[in-house]
Amino acid sequence: MKPTPARPFLIAQISDMHIKTRGALSYRVVDTARHLRECIAHIQGLKQRPDIVVATGDLTDFGKPEEYELLREILGTLGLPLYMIPGNHDERGNMRAAFPEYDYLRQQEEFICYAIEDLPIRIVALDTVVPGESGGALCEKRLAWLAATLRARQDTPTVVLMHHPPFRTLIGHMDDIGLANASTFKCVLANHPQVKAVLCGHLHRPIETVWRGILMSTSPSPAHQVTLDLSADAPSCFMMEPPALRLHAWMGDEGWLSHTSYIGKFDGPYPFYEAGGLID
Ligand SMILES: [Fe+2]
Ligand SMILES: [Fe+2]
């Protein structure tokens, strides 16, 4: 008899929403609030309802209280458990103040680092923000917290969330503002095979790399995407490529799986088959 596969635990990942004050456009071009509303409607319309949503930073554009107020209003329609981390465009104090009901934002006093223990896969969320800087880093305190947190449950499958990816993407201007001490982070990770995936934001593109069997990926934005240009001197610019989100599945012994779901109205679905067989 065929074994019954484990029910996938579905994680929708949204990232880099860059919400501005009401009515303002990001970079005078992007209506990020409209895009986030469309993203939430898209999540609600997915054929399989995600179990949780993770939001991997740059939730707002300038970290202002009014931006978080609008973010909160839009996210209020989500109706799913939500786990957020800050990005370089966020401000920890204003972010915490806007979401008093999310205790996990205050697990740590200084940083928004937390662990979520009651899900089929453990979440370890890292705050890579250096206030005033576009690039990220993990200071000694955060690295020590990460090492201790991973050490505490070495047998539990774990996914790490962080805004700045710990790998080079070849998009020069983004690598210039990447994670400063990625190699130190990886030294901590090297002792923890329970980590199955590292989910990041910041890049506004879907990118994957595998490091020692761990899938490390970034997420597209539900709004604007960073231009695909793999040169060291790529100009810092964005494109209105299709908005998207990630839909990850944790499948236990079968491992980790990641899809990208594009947000928008597209023709179809069209059938492949009709009564007589494959449509010619
Ligand atoms: Fe961003
Ligand atoms: Fe960012």
Side-chain angles (χ1 to χ4, degrees):
M1 213 171 72
K2 255 169 93 175
T4 315
R7 180 189 167 275
F9 180 71
L10 293 180
I11 303 174
Q13 181 187 10
I14 58 177
S15 198
D16 295 83
M17 300 94 93
H18 288 262
I19 295 299
K20 296 201 55 103
T21 49
R22 204 175 298 271
L25 301 179
S26 200
Y27 309 103
R28 301 191 204 111
V29 173
V30 194
D31 186 349
T32 51
R34 175 177 65 80
H35 281 295
L36 182 55
R37 286 194 181 95
E38 289 172 359
C39 173
I40 288 170
H42 182 85
I43 292 172
Q44 287 163 340
L46 286 171
K47 290 201 169 173
Q48 287 72 36
R49 183 179 167 83
D51 294 284
I52 63 167
V53 176
V54 298
T56 42
D58 287 358
L59 314 178
T60 64
D61 213 22
F62 282 89
K64 297 177 188 171
E66 316 86 73
E67 295 177 342
Y68 286 108
E69 192 183 302
L70 181 56
L71 176 72
R72 181 184 172 83
E73 180 186 308
I74 300 171
L75 289 176
T77 62
L78 184 60
L80 287 167
L82 173 67
Y83 299 97
M84 298 176 282
I85 55 169
N88 49 295
H89 286 256
D90 289 301
E91 203 285 318
R92 290 183 193 115
N94 292 337
M95 181 177 160
R96 281 173 167 153
F99 296 97
E101 71 275 42
Y102 291 124
D103 290 338
Y104 65 78
L105 293 174
R106 284 167 288 277
Q107 265 188 29
Q108 272 260 307
E109 202 181 319
E110 204 172 343
F111 306 105
I112 301 183
C113 292
Y114 57 88
I116 304 294
E117 312 285 2
D118 57 352
L119 300 172
I121 188 162
R122 186 186 195 212
I123 291 179
V124 171
L126 278 173
D127 177 339
T128 54
V129 174
V130 179
E133 305 274 326
S134 298
L138 290 166
C139 57
E140 288 300 320
K141 279 185 189 168
R142 282 174 278 189
L143 286 166
W145 178 88
L146 173 67
T149 303
L150 290 177
R151 215 166 31 236
R153 292 189 66 185
Q154 305 204 50
D155 296 331
T156 307
T158 298
V159 56
V160 172
L161 310 181
M162 59 202 291
H163 181 69
H164 295 86
F167 56 87
R168 223 153 59 88
T169 66
L170 304 183
I171 302 176
H173 67 95
M174 293 305 290
D175 287 341
D176 290 344
I177 56 167
L179 186 72
N181 51 349
S183 54
T184 321
F185 166 77
K186 284 172 169 165
C187 283
V188 177
L189 227 59
N191 301 319
H192 293 286
Q194 81 266 28
V195 175
K196 306 302 177 191
V198 177
L199 306 185
C200 312
H202 196 48
L203 261 294
H204 295 235
R205 296 201 72 78
I207 306 170
E208 293 93 25
T209 186
V210 176
W211 181 81
R212 296 198 187 176
I214 301 173
L215 180 68
M216 300 180 165
S217 64
T218 64
S219 175
S221 168
H224 50 298
Q225 317 303 330
V226 168
T227 306
L228 180 62
D229 181 346
L230 306 185
S231 52
D233 58 353
S236 176
C237 54
F238 64 91
M239 304 280 292
M240 297 313 293
E241 290 179 77
L245 56 88
R246 288 284 214 175
L247 187 62
H248 306 285
W250 168 242
M251 302 187 296
D253 290 344
E254 281 182 273
W256 184 268
L257 178 75
S258 295
H259 287 270
T260 298
S261 183
Y262 293 97
I263 303 164
K265 295 211 182 321
F266 305 104
D267 284 348
Y270 299 107
F272 288 116
Y273 292 91
E274 58 191 0
L278 193 60
I279 295 170
D280 61 18

